Amino acid sequence: VLSGPCAAILRPSDRCDDMIYGIGIDVVEPHRVVRLLEKYGDRFARRVLTPREWPGYTKTINRVFYVANRFAAKEAFSKAMGTGFRFPVTLQCISIVQDRRGKPGFEFHPRLQAMVDEEGIKAHHVTISDEKSLACACVVLQTRQPITGNFWTNINDGRFAIPGIIELSNLRPLQGHIT
């Protein structure tokens, strides 16, 4: 039963259609990237990076972490999508870009953008971090879908619940979907 300070979180007038589509995290050991760059040179970097990312690679001081961070972010995205790397979710269809403040984000190849749109994904959040022996990234994909049908269940005497999650008191019955 939801009570106390948390009771004010949801009110009958609240929109309840922001949902997490998926969460992905990945870690990369930079020493593995070092070995691959030593063995294959820029050919390896070109397999991981898109043409949009390539200028950053050529200008950066630490190419190993540049590649490791982007690989981790792309892998985390593939996990958040729930597909792994499978067309159109591929290294060459995902670009890591930065806004004017340096915050990382994604740009997608048109085929991947179409898939993201079809899945109803309206926002993405990515964070990238590294230390001497580790590069990591976390991705959260957000969707907005209307709540319809039996999402809220009447459990008698004016109380409603989201089955298996929470129970709320003093809510009005919902008709159709929340808009």
Side-chain angles (χ1 to χ4, degrees):
V1 175
L2 194 60
S3 63
C6 294
I9 293 173
L10 291 176
R11 297 177 306 274
S13 61
D14 286 344
R15 294 181 57 95
C16 296
D17 57 358
D18 284 353
M19 298 174 60
I20 292 176
Y21 178 91
I23 299 171
I25 189 166
D26 192 58
V27 294
V28 174
E29 295 174 305
H31 72 86
R32 296 175 69 195
V33 175
V34 168
R35 284 198 316 250
L36 291 166
L37 286 172
E38 286 172 353
K39 184 172 182 178
Y40 300 106
D42 286 348
R43 286 186 307 153
F44 172 71
R46 286 192 185 278
R47 289 184 61 94
V48 174
L49 304 173
T50 65
R52 175 92 158 86
E53 297 167 307
W54 190 255
Y57 174 75
T58 61
K59 293 176 187 171
T60 190
I61 293 171
N62 193 335
R63 291 182 173 191
V64 170
F65 276 99
Y66 190 88
V67 172
N69 286 335
R70 276 148 188 79
F71 185 89
K74 294 175 185 193
E75 177 74 20
F77 174 82
S78 77
K79 292 175 181 179
M81 286 294 292
T83 60
F85 285 125
R86 185 176 60 187
F87 188 80
V89 182
T90 65
L91 294 169
Q92 288 298 306
C93 290
I94 307 165
S95 293
I96 311 303
V97 297
Q98 294 177 309
D99 70 10
R100 61 183 172 79
R101 296 172 305 222
K103 179 181 176 185
F106 293 113
E107 280 185 3
F108 305 117
H109 180 278
R111 302 266 310 266
L112 179 52
Q113 184 64 58
M115 180 183 184
V116 166
D117 293 343
E118 284 174 19
E119 293 296 317
I121 298 166
K122 302 300 180 194
H124 62 265
H125 310 279
V126 59
T127 186
I128 302 170
S129 187
D130 58 66
E131 286 294 327
K132 195 182 312 184
S133 63
L134 194 66
C136 68
C138 181
V139 172
V140 176
L141 302 178
Q142 184 179 346
T143 185
R144 295 181 68 87
Q145 297 181 357
I147 296 172
T148 60
N150 302 6
F151 189 79
W152 295 93
T153 303
N154 188 340
I155 54 173
N156 300 323
D157 51 35
R159 295 180 300 145
F160 290 81
I162 302 171
I165 302 175
I166 61 173
E167 180 182 309
L168 304 171
S169 299
N170 302 321
L171 291 179
R172 297 182 306 246
L174 301 173
Q175 303 294 323
H177 67 275
I178 298 173
T179 58

